[in-house]
């Protein structure tokens, strides 16, 4: 009976891309698929969008963590989740009413009442349950991740379901909430987070190595020695965000007459160094996460604004996004000692890297504050452009 339900569920996969046209995406950025208690799944993006999906109608209304939008699998939705630069709040609007061309937007669409199709950052995700009943009309493009929730009295997830979706070959299958899971061909993970990106890794590209990933519903617990260093780095970053949040576009682009850097360079530099070093470490463990180098040119004469129209508040959100990235994928540090050298980086130890990031934020935040006392600082334009 369960295999029959899975066959019906696979039919959803075959129609998942029929109803919605292509949507531009910021491809290559890593996103996280996370599993939580009571069959709740979340999708978190590098841009900071957070969507939660209740796979079971009996899931509690309070999910216990902060997200931008909650959807139940049985809801009828055709929406876009997005937040454009310089806009503080996230929007959740019907697709037909949305004119945004933001490449970071997340498209969410119902397929009947038993599945969702999600497209974000070039990643195609179908989330369904074991009682899907829709019949396919047209063979669609392949999906990257198929999340299967338990429904009814289904107890066992059978890896043989892969044979039902061979026609379009999902790279990764994530079963959620099943009491028993056969271990053949599976990857059992003792935490709740999976990194996914649009570009397949060498492992994902091999048909024989298609992954069935069994996630826990509990986040990875960072060891105490890592945790204290991480918190110090995050606090220094948060302190920096407070300073930049108050600055206008004009103030961010201010070029001091003494030849020092603009405030915007300091923000880009701090963010860029942290992102590069941590993406190097994470990439060495999981190639899904690309090495991301957004570092600006070092010398003032060579520097070009990455986003000259971003307010200080948006640059602060960029700092927060990178801080969240480091925390979100920190499970990739599992098994490392804080005093040992991590692969992929020049740093002699993770402790040395974490201590330097703390120091680096404090140093460049202080350098930015000094500019406020310069005679040519545009003091009277805190909100202008």
């Amino acid at each position: 009976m369960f295999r029959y339900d899975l066959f019906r569920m696979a039919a959803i996969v075959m129609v998942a891309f029929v109803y919605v046209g292509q949507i531009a995406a910021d491809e290559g950025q890593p996103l996280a698929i996370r599993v939580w208690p009571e069959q709740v799944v979340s999708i978190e993006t590098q841009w900071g969008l957070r969507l939660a999906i209740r796979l079971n109608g009996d899931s509690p209304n309070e999910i216990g963590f902060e997200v931008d939008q909650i959807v139940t699998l049985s809801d009828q939705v055709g929406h876009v989740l997005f937040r454009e630069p310089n806009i503080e709040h996230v929007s959740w609007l019907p697709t037909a009413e949305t004119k945004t061309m933001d490449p970071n937007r997340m498209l969410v669409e119902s397929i009947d009442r038993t599945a969702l199709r999600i497209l974000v950052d070039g990643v195609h995700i179908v989330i369904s349950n074991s009682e899907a009943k829709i019949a396919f009309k047209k063979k669609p493009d392949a999906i990257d991740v198929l999340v299967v929730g338990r429904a009814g009295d289904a107890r066992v997830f059978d890896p043989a379901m892969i044979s039902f979706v061979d026609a379009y070959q999902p790279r990764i299958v994530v079963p959620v909430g099943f009491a028993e899971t056969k271990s053949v061909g599976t990857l059992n993970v003792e935490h709740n987070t999976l990194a996914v990106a649009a570009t397949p890794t060498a492992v994902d590209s091999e048909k024989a190595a298609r992954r069935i990933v069994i996630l826990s519903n509990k986040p990875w617990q960072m060891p105490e020695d890592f945790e204290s260093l991480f918190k110090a780095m995050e606090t220094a970053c948060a302190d920096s965000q407070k300073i930049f949040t108050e600055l206008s576009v004009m103030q961010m682009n201010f070029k001091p007459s003494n030849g020092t850097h603009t405030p915007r360079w300091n923000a880009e530099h701090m963010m860029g160094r942290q992102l590069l070093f941590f993406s190097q470490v994470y990439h060495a463990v999981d190639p899904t996460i690309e090495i991301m180098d957004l570092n600006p040119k070092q010398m003032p004469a060579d520097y070009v604004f990455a986003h000259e129209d971003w307010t200080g508040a948006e640059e602060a959100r960029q700092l927060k996004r990178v801080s969240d990235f480091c925390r979100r994928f920190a499970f990739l540090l599992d098994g490392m000692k804080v005093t040992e050298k991590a692969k992929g980086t020049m740093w002699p130890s993770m402790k040395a890297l974490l201590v330097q990031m703390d120091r680096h934020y404090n140093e460049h935040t202080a350098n930015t504050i000094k500019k406020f006392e310069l005679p040519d600082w545009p003091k009277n334009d805190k909100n202008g452009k």
Side-chain angles (χ1 to χ4, degrees):
M1 179 65 179
F2 184 62
R3 286 195 179 194
Y4 176 66
D5 285 339
L6 286 173
F7 178 77
R8 291 186 300 178
M9 178 276 303
I12 284 183
V13 171
M14 298 303 180
V15 295
F17 296 81
V18 173
Y19 302 108
V20 181
Q22 293 297 313
I23 184 169
D26 202 342
E27 297 189 7
Q29 295 189 119
L31 58 86
I33 294 178
R34 313 186 76 177
V35 173
W36 304 90
E38 306 292 342
Q39 290 204 69
V40 174
V41 173
S42 66
I43 298 173
E44 302 177 14
T45 75
Q46 189 73 4
W47 186 245
L49 299 178
R50 296 160 300 178
L51 175 73
I53 304 98
R54 298 189 188 96
L55 302 183
N56 190 322
D58 296 329
S59 298
N61 291 331
E62 297 296 328
I63 59 177
F65 57 96
E66 186 178 355
V67 294
D68 299 307
Q69 185 66 37
I70 303 174
V71 176
T72 300
L73 196 60
S74 60
D75 293 343
Q76 285 285 65
V77 298
H79 286 67
V80 178
L81 187 69
F82 67 97
R83 189 193 60 76
E84 295 179 330
N86 295 338
I87 303 298
E88 181 178 0
H89 299 292
V90 173
S91 295
W92 171 253
L93 295 174
T95 307
E97 300 175 14
T98 306
K99 297 181 180 180
T100 180
M101 296 303 293
D102 179 8
N104 300 295
R105 62 198 184 274
M106 184 187 299
L107 175 68
V108 185
E109 184 177 71
S110 296
I111 307 296
D112 195 56
R113 289 187 179 274
T114 49
L116 289 174
R117 182 252 191 172
I118 299 169
L119 180 58
V120 61
D121 293 342
V123 178
H124 298 241
I125 304 168
V126 168
I127 300 180
S128 183
N129 64 41
S130 56
E131 291 186 346
K133 300 176 181 179
I134 193 168
F136 73 89
K137 298 178 181 179
K138 179 181 178 182
K139 182 177 179 180
D141 297 331
I143 66 172
D144 297 294
V145 184
L146 175 63
V147 179
V148 185
R150 180 177 64 84
D153 59 357
R155 304 296 295 168
V156 180
F157 175 79
D158 187 346
M161 71 162 291
I162 293 299
S163 64
F164 295 120
V165 295
D166 265 349
Y168 104 117
Q169 303 177 9
R171 288 198 278 134
I172 304 167
V173 179
V174 180
V176 178
F178 294 93
E180 302 173 39
T181 305
K182 293 183 179 180
S183 60
V184 178
T186 67
L187 173 64
N188 291 279
V189 180
E190 296 182 358
H191 57 76
N192 73 334
T193 306
L194 174 68
V196 181
T199 304
T201 66
V203 172
D204 289 333
S205 298
E206 298 175 10
K207 180 178 178 180
R210 182 182 305 137
R211 293 189 290 166
I212 301 174
V213 181
I214 313 299
L215 295 170
S216 166
N217 62 14
K218 297 180 180 179
W220 179 66
Q221 294 299 306
M222 187 177 289
E224 186 176 344
D225 51 358
F226 266 107
E227 184 66 35
S228 61
L229 292 167
F230 242 83
K231 282 186 176 178
M233 176 181 67
E234 290 170 333
T235 298
C237 180
D239 290 343
S240 186
Q241 293 167 41
K242 293 176 184 176
I243 299 302
F244 285 102
T245 294
E246 298 301 319
L247 304 185
S248 68
V249 172
M250 179 182 293
Q251 290 172 321
M252 290 298 296
N253 294 343
F254 167 63
K255 297 180 179 180
S257 57
N258 63 6
T260 57
H261 281 292
T262 66
R264 192 178 301 282
W265 178 89
N266 284 274
E268 290 183 16
H269 175 69
M270 291 186 294
M271 174 277 301
R273 300 305 277 174
Q274 185 180 18
L275 180 62
L276 174 62
F277 294 142
F278 275 85
S279 65
Q280 287 173 335
V281 172
Y282 293 164
H283 176 79
V285 180
D286 185 352
T288 300
I289 297 177
E290 295 184 349
I291 296 174
M292 293 174 278
D293 187 355
L294 300 182
N295 283 286
K297 295 288 185 180
Q298 184 70 28
M299 302 307 293
D302 301 325
Y303 169 61
V304 177
F305 300 131
H307 304 282
E308 65 179 343
D309 60 341
W310 278 12
T311 62
E314 190 60 44
E315 292 288 3
R317 283 188 281 267
Q318 179 81 326
L319 294 174
K320 179 67 163 57
R321 287 191 286 269
V322 170
S323 183
D324 288 345
F325 160 80
C326 294
R327 173 69 69 165
R328 182 180 300 125
F329 297 110
F331 66 87
L332 295 171
L333 301 173
D334 188 45
M336 293 185 192
K337 295 180 179 179
V338 74
T339 55
E340 76 174 270
K341 187 180 188 302
K343 294 180 180 179
T345 180
M346 67 178 187
W347 293 93
S349 68
M350 285 304 300
K351 180 177 181 179
L353 171 56
L354 287 160
V355 168
Q356 175 57 24
M357 290 299 95
D358 177 8
R359 182 185 300 120
H360 195 241
Y361 270 110
N362 289 322
E363 174 188 345
H364 284 280
T365 302
N367 288 344
T368 299
I369 293 173
K370 289 177 184 178
K371 300 179 193 302
F372 303 167
E373 303 303 320
L374 294 174
D376 49 347
W377 173 254
K379 295 181 181 179
N380 60 354
D381 182 26
K382 293 196 73 173
N383 299 307
K385 297 184 179 181

